[in-house]
Short mmCIF file of all heavy atoms in Angstrom, two decimals:
data_model
loop_
_atom_site.label_atom_id
_atom_site.label_comp_id
_atom_site.label_asym_id
_atom_site.label_seq_id
_atom_site.Cartn_x
_atom_site.Cartn_y
_atom_site.Cartn_z
N MET A 279 0.85 -1.17 0.00
CA MET A 279 0.00 0.00 0.00
C MET A 279 0.89 1.23 0.00
O MET A 279 1.90 1.27 0.68
CB MET A 279 -0.88 -0.01 1.24
CG MET A 279 -1.71 1.25 1.38
SD MET A 279 -2.79 1.24 2.79
CE MET A 279 -3.97 0.04 2.29
N THR A 280 0.49 2.21 -0.76
CA THR A 280 1.26 3.44 -0.81
C THR A 280 0.82 4.39 0.31
O THR A 280 -0.31 4.32 0.79
CB THR A 280 1.09 4.14 -2.16
OG1 THR A 280 -0.29 4.41 -2.37
CG2 THR A 280 1.63 3.27 -3.28
N TYR A 281 1.71 5.24 0.70
CA TYR A 281 1.41 6.13 1.83
C TYR A 281 0.44 7.23 1.48
O TYR A 281 -0.08 7.90 2.37
CB TYR A 281 2.70 6.70 2.43
CG TYR A 281 3.48 7.61 1.53
CD1 TYR A 281 3.23 8.97 1.51
CD2 TYR A 281 4.48 7.12 0.72
CE1 TYR A 281 3.94 9.81 0.68
CE2 TYR A 281 5.20 7.95 -0.11
CZ TYR A 281 4.93 9.30 -0.12
OH TYR A 281 5.65 10.13 -0.93
N ASP A 282 0.13 7.45 0.22
CA ASP A 282 -0.82 8.51 -0.13
C ASP A 282 -2.24 8.15 0.27
O ASP A 282 -3.11 9.02 0.33
CB ASP A 282 -0.74 8.85 -1.61
CG ASP A 282 -1.04 7.68 -2.52
OD1 ASP A 282 -0.85 6.53 -2.09
OD2 ASP A 282 -1.47 7.91 -3.66
N ARG A 283 -2.51 6.89 0.58
CA ARG A 283 -3.85 6.48 1.00
C ARG A 283 -3.94 6.23 2.51
O ARG A 283 -5.02 5.97 3.02
CB ARG A 283 -4.26 5.20 0.27
CG ARG A 283 -4.39 5.41 -1.22
CD ARG A 283 -4.87 4.16 -1.89
NE ARG A 283 -4.94 4.32 -3.31
CZ ARG A 283 -6.06 4.52 -3.98
NH1 ARG A 283 -7.20 4.59 -3.33
NH2 ARG A 283 -6.04 4.67 -5.28
N LEU A 284 -2.83 6.28 3.20
CA LEU A 284 -2.82 5.99 4.63
C LEU A 284 -3.24 7.22 5.45
O LEU A 284 -2.92 8.34 5.10
CB LEU A 284 -1.43 5.57 5.08
CG LEU A 284 -0.93 4.24 4.54
CD1 LEU A 284 0.51 4.00 5.02
CD2 LEU A 284 -1.81 3.11 4.97
N VAL A 285 -3.94 6.96 6.55
CA VAL A 285 -4.33 8.01 7.49
C VAL A 285 -3.61 7.72 8.80
O VAL A 285 -3.62 6.61 9.30
CB VAL A 285 -5.86 8.04 7.70
CG1 VAL A 285 -6.23 9.06 8.76
CG2 VAL A 285 -6.56 8.33 6.39
N CYS A 286 -2.99 8.74 9.35
CA CYS A 286 -2.20 8.60 10.57
C CYS A 286 -3.12 8.42 11.78
O CYS A 286 -4.09 9.17 11.95
CB CYS A 286 -1.33 9.83 10.76
SG CYS A 286 -0.33 9.79 12.26
N ALA A 287 -2.81 7.47 12.64
CA ALA A 287 -3.57 7.26 13.87
C ALA A 287 -3.23 8.31 14.92
O ALA A 287 -4.00 8.55 15.85
CB ALA A 287 -3.30 5.87 14.43
N ASN A 288 -2.09 8.96 14.76
CA ASN A 288 -1.66 9.96 15.73
C ASN A 288 -2.35 11.31 15.52
O ASN A 288 -2.86 11.91 16.46
CB ASN A 288 -0.14 10.11 15.65
CG ASN A 288 0.42 10.91 16.79
OD1 ASN A 288 0.04 10.73 17.93
ND2 ASN A 288 1.35 11.79 16.48
N CYS A 289 -2.39 11.80 14.28
CA CYS A 289 -2.95 13.13 14.02
C CYS A 289 -4.19 13.11 13.12
O CYS A 289 -4.77 14.14 12.87
CB CYS A 289 -1.88 14.03 13.38
SG CYS A 289 -1.43 13.56 11.71
N ALA A 290 -4.57 11.94 12.63
CA ALA A 290 -5.75 11.74 11.76
C ALA A 290 -5.61 12.46 10.43
O ALA A 290 -6.59 12.67 9.73
CB ALA A 290 -7.04 12.15 12.47
N GLY A 291 -4.40 12.82 10.05
CA GLY A 291 -4.16 13.44 8.75
C GLY A 291 -3.56 12.43 7.80
O GLY A 291 -3.10 11.36 8.19
N PRO A 292 -3.55 12.76 6.52
CA PRO A 292 -2.92 11.87 5.54
C PRO A 292 -1.41 11.75 5.81
O PRO A 292 -0.74 12.75 6.06
CB PRO A 292 -3.17 12.56 4.20
CG PRO A 292 -4.26 13.53 4.45
CD PRO A 292 -4.19 13.91 5.89
N VAL A 293 -0.90 10.53 5.75
CA VAL A 293 0.52 10.31 5.99
C VAL A 293 1.37 11.04 4.95
O VAL A 293 2.45 11.53 5.26
CB VAL A 293 0.83 8.79 6.00
CG1 VAL A 293 2.32 8.52 6.04
CG2 VAL A 293 0.15 8.12 7.18
N ALA A 294 0.86 11.17 3.74
CA ALA A 294 1.60 11.84 2.66
C ALA A 294 1.90 13.30 3.00
O ALA A 294 2.89 13.85 2.53
CB ALA A 294 0.81 11.76 1.36
N GLU A 295 1.06 13.93 3.81
CA GLU A 295 1.29 15.33 4.18
C GLU A 295 2.36 15.48 5.25
O GLU A 295 2.97 16.53 5.38
CB GLU A 295 -0.01 15.97 4.65
CG GLU A 295 -1.02 16.15 3.54
CD GLU A 295 -2.30 16.80 4.03
OE1 GLU A 295 -2.36 17.25 5.20
OE2 GLU A 295 -3.25 16.84 3.23
N GLY A 296 2.57 14.45 6.07
CA GLY A 296 3.60 14.51 7.10
C GLY A 296 3.35 15.55 8.16
O GLY A 296 4.24 16.31 8.52
N ARG A 297 2.13 15.60 8.68
CA ARG A 297 1.77 16.63 9.67
C ARG A 297 2.48 16.47 11.01
O ARG A 297 2.78 17.43 11.69
CB ARG A 297 0.26 16.60 9.92
CG ARG A 297 -0.56 17.04 8.74
CD ARG A 297 -2.02 17.03 9.08
NE ARG A 297 -2.83 17.38 7.93
CZ ARG A 297 -4.14 17.37 7.93
NH1 ARG A 297 -4.80 17.04 9.03
NH2 ARG A 297 -4.80 17.69 6.85
N CYS A 298 2.72 15.24 11.42
CA CYS A 298 3.36 15.02 12.72
C CYS A 298 4.60 14.15 12.54
O CYS A 298 4.88 13.65 11.45
CB CYS A 298 2.38 14.37 13.69
SG CYS A 298 1.93 12.67 13.29
N ARG A 299 5.35 13.93 13.61
CA ARG A 299 6.59 13.15 13.51
C ARG A 299 6.31 11.69 13.17
O ARG A 299 7.10 11.04 12.51
CB ARG A 299 7.41 13.27 14.79
CG ARG A 299 6.75 12.71 16.02
CD ARG A 299 7.68 12.83 17.25
NE ARG A 299 7.03 12.30 18.42
CZ ARG A 299 6.97 11.01 18.73
NH1 ARG A 299 7.55 10.14 17.96
NH2 ARG A 299 6.34 10.60 19.80
N VAL A 300 5.16 11.16 13.61
CA VAL A 300 4.81 9.78 13.29
C VAL A 300 4.56 9.64 11.79
O VAL A 300 5.03 8.69 11.15
CB VAL A 300 3.56 9.33 14.11
CG1 VAL A 300 3.13 7.95 13.71
CG2 VAL A 300 3.84 9.41 15.59
N CYS A 301 3.83 10.59 11.21
CA CYS A 301 3.59 10.59 9.76
C CYS A 301 4.89 10.66 8.99
O CYS A 301 5.10 9.91 8.03
CB CYS A 301 2.75 11.80 9.34
SG CYS A 301 1.07 11.81 9.91
N ARG A 302 5.76 11.57 9.38
CA ARG A 302 7.01 11.75 8.67
C ARG A 302 7.89 10.50 8.76
O ARG A 302 8.51 10.09 7.78
CB ARG A 302 7.75 12.97 9.19
CG ARG A 302 7.06 14.28 8.80
CD ARG A 302 7.88 15.49 9.19
NE ARG A 302 8.00 15.69 10.62
CZ ARG A 302 7.10 16.33 11.37
NH1 ARG A 302 6.01 16.83 10.83
NH2 ARG A 302 7.29 16.47 12.67
N ALA A 303 7.91 9.86 9.93
CA ALA A 303 8.71 8.65 10.09
C ALA A 303 8.16 7.52 9.24
O ALA A 303 8.92 6.79 8.59
CB ALA A 303 8.74 8.25 11.57
N HIS A 304 6.84 7.35 9.22
CA HIS A 304 6.25 6.28 8.43
C HIS A 304 6.42 6.54 6.94
O HIS A 304 6.72 5.62 6.18
CB HIS A 304 4.77 6.11 8.79
CG HIS A 304 4.19 4.85 8.25
ND1 HIS A 304 4.57 3.61 8.70
CD2 HIS A 304 3.30 4.62 7.26
CE1 HIS A 304 3.91 2.68 8.03
NE2 HIS A 304 3.14 3.28 7.14
N ARG A 305 6.27 7.78 6.52
CA ARG A 305 6.46 8.13 5.12
C ARG A 305 7.89 7.83 4.68
O ARG A 305 8.12 7.27 3.61
CB ARG A 305 6.13 9.61 4.91
CG ARG A 305 6.25 10.05 3.47
CD ARG A 305 5.87 11.49 3.29
NE ARG A 305 6.71 12.35 4.13
CZ ARG A 305 6.55 13.63 4.27
NH1 ARG A 305 5.57 14.26 3.67
NH2 ARG A 305 7.36 14.33 5.02
N GLU A 306 8.85 8.18 5.51
CA GLU A 306 10.26 7.91 5.21
C GLU A 306 10.52 6.41 5.11
O GLU A 306 11.22 5.95 4.20
CB GLU A 306 11.16 8.54 6.28
CG GLU A 306 12.62 8.34 6.04
CD GLU A 306 13.13 9.10 4.83
OE1 GLU A 306 12.54 10.14 4.49
OE2 GLU A 306 14.11 8.65 4.23
N ARG A 307 9.95 5.65 6.01
CA ARG A 307 10.14 4.19 6.01
C ARG A 307 9.54 3.58 4.74
O ARG A 307 10.14 2.71 4.12
CB ARG A 307 9.52 3.58 7.26
CG ARG A 307 9.81 2.14 7.46
CD ARG A 307 9.36 1.60 8.82
NE ARG A 307 8.10 2.13 9.28
CZ ARG A 307 7.95 2.90 10.35
NH1 ARG A 307 8.98 3.25 11.07
NH2 ARG A 307 6.76 3.33 10.71
N LEU A 308 8.37 4.03 4.32
CA LEU A 308 7.75 3.52 3.10
C LEU A 308 8.56 3.89 1.87
O LEU A 308 8.66 3.10 0.93
CB LEU A 308 6.32 4.04 2.97
CG LEU A 308 5.29 3.38 3.89
CD1 LEU A 308 3.97 4.13 3.80
CD2 LEU A 308 5.10 1.92 3.52
N GLN A 309 9.14 5.07 1.85
CA GLN A 309 9.93 5.48 0.70
C GLN A 309 11.21 4.67 0.60
O GLN A 309 11.69 4.39 -0.50
CB GLN A 309 10.26 6.97 0.79
CG GLN A 309 9.07 7.85 0.51
CD GLN A 309 9.36 9.32 0.75
OE1 GLN A 309 10.35 9.68 1.39
NE2 GLN A 309 8.50 10.19 0.26
N GLN A 310 11.78 4.27 1.71
CA GLN A 310 13.01 3.48 1.71
C GLN A 310 12.76 2.04 1.27
O GLN A 310 13.64 1.41 0.71
CB GLN A 310 13.66 3.48 3.08
CG GLN A 310 14.26 4.81 3.45
CD GLN A 310 14.81 4.82 4.86
OE1 GLN A 310 14.66 3.86 5.61
NE2 GLN A 310 15.45 5.90 5.24
N GLN A 311 11.56 1.52 1.52
CA GLN A 311 11.27 0.14 1.19
C GLN A 311 11.12 -0.08 -0.30
O GLN A 311 11.32 -1.18 -0.79
CB GLN A 311 9.98 -0.32 1.87
CG GLN A 311 10.12 -0.52 3.35
CD GLN A 311 8.81 -0.93 3.98
OE1 GLN A 311 7.75 -0.84 3.37
NE2 GLN A 311 8.87 -1.38 5.20
N GLY A 312 10.77 0.91 -1.05
CA GLY A 312 10.59 0.75 -2.49
C GLY A 312 9.19 0.30 -2.83
O GLY A 312 8.34 0.11 -1.97
N PRO A 313 8.92 0.10 -4.11
CA PRO A 313 7.56 -0.20 -4.56
C PRO A 313 7.03 -1.56 -4.11
O PRO A 313 5.84 -1.74 -3.96
CB PRO A 313 7.65 -0.13 -6.08
CG PRO A 313 9.09 -0.30 -6.39
CD PRO A 313 9.85 0.23 -5.22
N LEU A 314 7.90 -2.53 -3.90
CA LEU A 314 7.44 -3.87 -3.50
C LEU A 314 7.61 -4.11 -2.01
O LEU A 314 7.36 -5.21 -1.53
CB LEU A 314 8.20 -4.95 -4.29
CG LEU A 314 7.99 -4.93 -5.80
CD1 LEU A 314 8.83 -6.01 -6.46
CD2 LEU A 314 6.54 -5.09 -6.16
N GLY A 315 8.03 -3.11 -1.26
CA GLY A 315 8.27 -3.29 0.16
C GLY A 315 7.03 -3.56 0.98
O GLY A 315 7.10 -4.22 2.01
N GLY A 316 5.88 -3.09 0.54
CA GLY A 316 4.66 -3.28 1.30
C GLY A 316 3.92 -4.56 0.99
O GLY A 316 2.91 -4.86 1.63
N LEU A 317 4.40 -5.32 0.04
CA LEU A 317 3.70 -6.55 -0.33
C LEU A 317 4.02 -7.68 0.64
O LEU A 317 5.15 -7.81 1.11
CB LEU A 317 4.08 -6.99 -1.74
CG LEU A 317 3.60 -6.09 -2.87
CD1 LEU A 317 4.12 -6.62 -4.20
CD2 LEU A 317 2.10 -6.01 -2.91
N SER A 318 3.03 -8.51 0.89
CA SER A 318 3.24 -9.65 1.77
C SER A 318 4.02 -10.72 1.03
O SER A 318 4.06 -10.74 -0.21
CB SER A 318 1.89 -10.21 2.22
OG SER A 318 1.24 -10.82 1.13
N PRO A 319 4.63 -11.64 1.74
CA PRO A 319 5.35 -12.74 1.09
C PRO A 319 4.44 -13.58 0.18
O PRO A 319 4.89 -14.04 -0.87
CB PRO A 319 5.87 -13.58 2.26
CG PRO A 319 5.98 -12.61 3.38
CD PRO A 319 4.86 -11.65 3.19
N VAL A 320 3.19 -13.73 0.54
CA VAL A 320 2.25 -14.49 -0.30
C VAL A 320 2.02 -13.76 -1.61
O VAL A 320 1.99 -14.38 -2.69
CB VAL A 320 0.92 -14.73 0.46
CG1 VAL A 320 -0.10 -15.37 -0.45
CG2 VAL A 320 1.15 -15.59 1.68
N ALA A 321 1.87 -12.45 -1.57
CA ALA A 321 1.67 -11.67 -2.78
C ALA A 321 2.91 -11.73 -3.67
O ALA A 321 2.79 -11.84 -4.90
CB ALA A 321 1.32 -10.23 -2.44
N LEU A 322 4.09 -11.64 -3.08
CA LEU A 322 5.32 -11.74 -3.86
C LEU A 322 5.45 -13.12 -4.51
O LEU A 322 5.84 -13.23 -5.68
CB LEU A 322 6.53 -11.46 -2.97
CG LEU A 322 6.73 -10.01 -2.57
CD1 LEU A 322 7.87 -9.90 -1.56
CD2 LEU A 322 7.00 -9.14 -3.77
N LEU A 323 5.11 -14.16 -3.79
CA LEU A 323 5.16 -15.52 -4.33
C LEU A 323 4.16 -15.68 -5.48
O LEU A 323 4.46 -16.27 -6.51
CB LEU A 323 4.88 -16.55 -3.23
CG LEU A 323 4.96 -18.01 -3.65
CD1 LEU A 323 6.36 -18.35 -4.15
CD2 LEU A 323 4.58 -18.92 -2.50
N THR A 324 2.97 -15.11 -5.32
CA THR A 324 1.96 -15.16 -6.38
C THR A 324 2.46 -14.44 -7.64
O THR A 324 2.30 -14.95 -8.76
CB THR A 324 0.65 -14.52 -5.89
OG1 THR A 324 0.21 -15.21 -4.73
CG2 THR A 324 -0.42 -14.58 -6.96
N LEU A 325 3.07 -13.28 -7.48
CA LEU A 325 3.64 -12.56 -8.62
C LEU A 325 4.73 -13.37 -9.30
O LEU A 325 4.81 -13.41 -10.53
CB LEU A 325 4.18 -11.21 -8.18
CG LEU A 325 3.15 -10.14 -7.84
CD1 LEU A 325 3.83 -8.91 -7.26
CD2 LEU A 325 2.35 -9.78 -9.07
N LEU A 326 5.55 -14.04 -8.52
CA LEU A 326 6.62 -14.86 -9.08
C LEU A 326 6.06 -16.03 -9.88
O LEU A 326 6.52 -16.31 -10.99
CB LEU A 326 7.54 -15.37 -7.97
CG LEU A 326 8.69 -16.26 -8.41
CD1 LEU A 326 9.66 -15.48 -9.29
CD2 LEU A 326 9.39 -16.84 -7.21
N VAL A 327 5.04 -16.69 -9.34
CA VAL A 327 4.41 -17.81 -10.04
C VAL A 327 3.77 -17.33 -11.34
O VAL A 327 3.89 -17.98 -12.38
CB VAL A 327 3.38 -18.51 -9.12
CG1 VAL A 327 2.50 -19.48 -9.90
CG2 VAL A 327 4.09 -19.22 -7.98
N LEU A 328 3.10 -16.19 -11.31
CA LEU A 328 2.49 -15.64 -12.53
C LEU A 328 3.55 -15.29 -13.57
O LEU A 328 3.35 -15.51 -14.77
CB LEU A 328 1.64 -14.42 -12.20
CG LEU A 328 0.35 -14.71 -11.44
CD1 LEU A 328 -0.31 -13.39 -11.03
CD2 LEU A 328 -0.59 -15.55 -12.28
N LEU A 329 4.66 -14.75 -13.13
CA LEU A 329 5.74 -14.41 -14.04
C LEU A 329 6.32 -15.66 -14.70
O LEU A 329 6.53 -15.70 -15.91
CB LEU A 329 6.84 -13.63 -13.31
CG LEU A 329 8.05 -13.24 -14.15
CD1 LEU A 329 7.64 -12.26 -15.24
CD2 LEU A 329 9.12 -12.63 -13.27
N VAL A 330 6.56 -16.70 -13.91
CA VAL A 330 7.09 -17.95 -14.45
C VAL A 330 6.09 -18.56 -15.43
O VAL A 330 6.47 -19.06 -16.50
CB VAL A 330 7.44 -18.93 -13.32
CG1 VAL A 330 7.73 -20.32 -13.85
CG2 VAL A 330 8.62 -18.40 -12.52
N ALA A 331 4.80 -18.53 -15.11
CA ALA A 331 3.78 -19.07 -16.01
C ALA A 331 3.73 -18.29 -17.31
O ALA A 331 3.59 -18.88 -18.39
CB ALA A 331 2.42 -19.06 -15.32
N ALA A 332 3.86 -16.98 -17.24
CA ALA A 332 3.84 -16.15 -18.45
C ALA A 332 5.05 -16.45 -19.33
O ALA A 332 4.92 -16.56 -20.55
CB ALA A 332 3.80 -14.67 -18.07
N VAL A 333 6.21 -16.61 -18.73
CA VAL A 333 7.42 -16.93 -19.49
C VAL A 333 7.27 -18.31 -20.13
O VAL A 333 7.63 -18.51 -21.30
CB VAL A 333 8.67 -16.85 -18.59
CG1 VAL A 333 9.89 -17.45 -19.28
CG2 VAL A 333 8.93 -15.41 -18.19
N ALA A 334 6.73 -19.28 -19.40
CA ALA A 334 6.53 -20.62 -19.95
C ALA A 334 5.54 -20.59 -21.11
O ALA A 334 5.72 -21.28 -22.12
CB ALA A 334 6.05 -21.56 -18.86
N LEU A 335 4.50 -19.78 -20.98
CA LEU A 335 3.50 -19.67 -22.05
C LEU A 335 4.11 -19.05 -23.31
O LEU A 335 3.88 -19.54 -24.42
CB LEU A 335 2.32 -18.84 -21.56
CG LEU A 335 1.13 -18.70 -22.51
CD1 LEU A 335 0.51 -20.08 -22.72
CD2 LEU A 335 0.12 -17.75 -21.94
N VAL A 336 4.90 -18.02 -23.14
CA VAL A 336 5.56 -17.39 -24.29
C VAL A 336 6.56 -18.37 -24.93
O VAL A 336 6.64 -18.48 -26.15
CB VAL A 336 6.27 -16.08 -23.87
CG1 VAL A 336 7.18 -15.57 -24.96
CG2 VAL A 336 5.23 -15.03 -23.49
N ALA A 337 7.30 -19.09 -24.10
CA ALA A 337 8.28 -20.05 -24.63
C ALA A 337 7.59 -21.18 -25.39
O ALA A 337 8.13 -21.69 -26.37
CB ALA A 337 9.12 -20.60 -23.49
N ALA A 338 6.41 -21.59 -24.95
CA ALA A 338 5.69 -22.67 -25.61
C ALA A 338 5.18 -22.26 -26.99
O ALA A 338 5.01 -23.10 -27.86
CB ALA A 338 4.52 -23.12 -24.74
N HIS A 339 4.96 -20.99 -27.19
CA HIS A 339 4.43 -20.51 -28.48
C HIS A 339 5.53 -20.11 -29.46
O HIS A 339 5.22 -19.68 -30.58
CB HIS A 339 3.48 -19.33 -28.27
CG HIS A 339 2.18 -19.74 -27.67
ND1 HIS A 339 1.34 -20.65 -28.24
CD2 HIS A 339 1.57 -19.36 -26.50
CE1 HIS A 339 0.27 -20.83 -27.49
NE2 HIS A 339 0.39 -20.05 -26.42
N GLN A 340 6.77 -20.20 -29.06
CA GLN A 340 7.88 -19.86 -29.95
C GLN A 340 8.11 -21.02 -30.93
O GLN A 340 8.15 -22.18 -30.52
CB GLN A 340 9.16 -19.61 -29.15
CG GLN A 340 9.11 -18.39 -28.29
CD GLN A 340 8.99 -17.11 -29.09
OE1 GLN A 340 9.54 -17.01 -30.18
NE2 GLN A 340 8.28 -16.14 -28.54
N PRO A 341 8.30 -20.72 -32.21
CA PRO A 341 8.58 -21.79 -33.17
C PRO A 341 9.97 -22.38 -32.92
O PRO A 341 10.90 -21.69 -32.55
CB PRO A 341 8.53 -21.10 -34.53
CG PRO A 341 8.65 -19.66 -34.25
CD PRO A 341 8.21 -19.42 -32.84
N ALA A 342 10.08 -23.67 -33.11
CA ALA A 342 11.34 -24.36 -32.84
C ALA A 342 12.34 -24.24 -33.94
O ALA A 342 12.26 -23.85 -34.98
CB ALA A 342 11.08 -25.83 -32.57
#
């Protein structure tokens, strides 16, 4: 989940605005994790399986 949709429990403001120190700390932590940092291990595994299936499907349709 991206921080632009999160609401801070401390100040009830959007985390993206960084109104309080809790917002700013959480926003910084999310930015350091990168785009896949918030995904669960199950979601990452699902993406990996889908990627492998897509590659296998493309390879199966290539002429020999």
Side-chain angles (χ1 to χ4, degrees):
M279 175 178 290
T280 58
Y281 65 89
D282 59 335
R283 296 183 183 257
L284 293 177
V285 176
C286 179
N288 191 43
C289 69
V293 171
E295 291 180 8
R297 292 182 184 176
C298 69
R299 64 178 179 81
V300 176
C301 292
R302 290 187 293 275
H304 193 68
R305 182 178 58 186
E306 181 68 28
R307 188 171 39 245
L308 285 172
Q309 287 174 344
Q310 289 176 354
Q311 288 179 347
L314 297 178
L317 292 177
S318 70
V320 173
L322 287 173
L323 183 61
T324 302
L325 287 173
L326 179 64
V327 168
L328 289 173
L329 178 65
V330 169
V333 168
L335 185 64
V336 169
H339 288 302
Q340 293 295 326

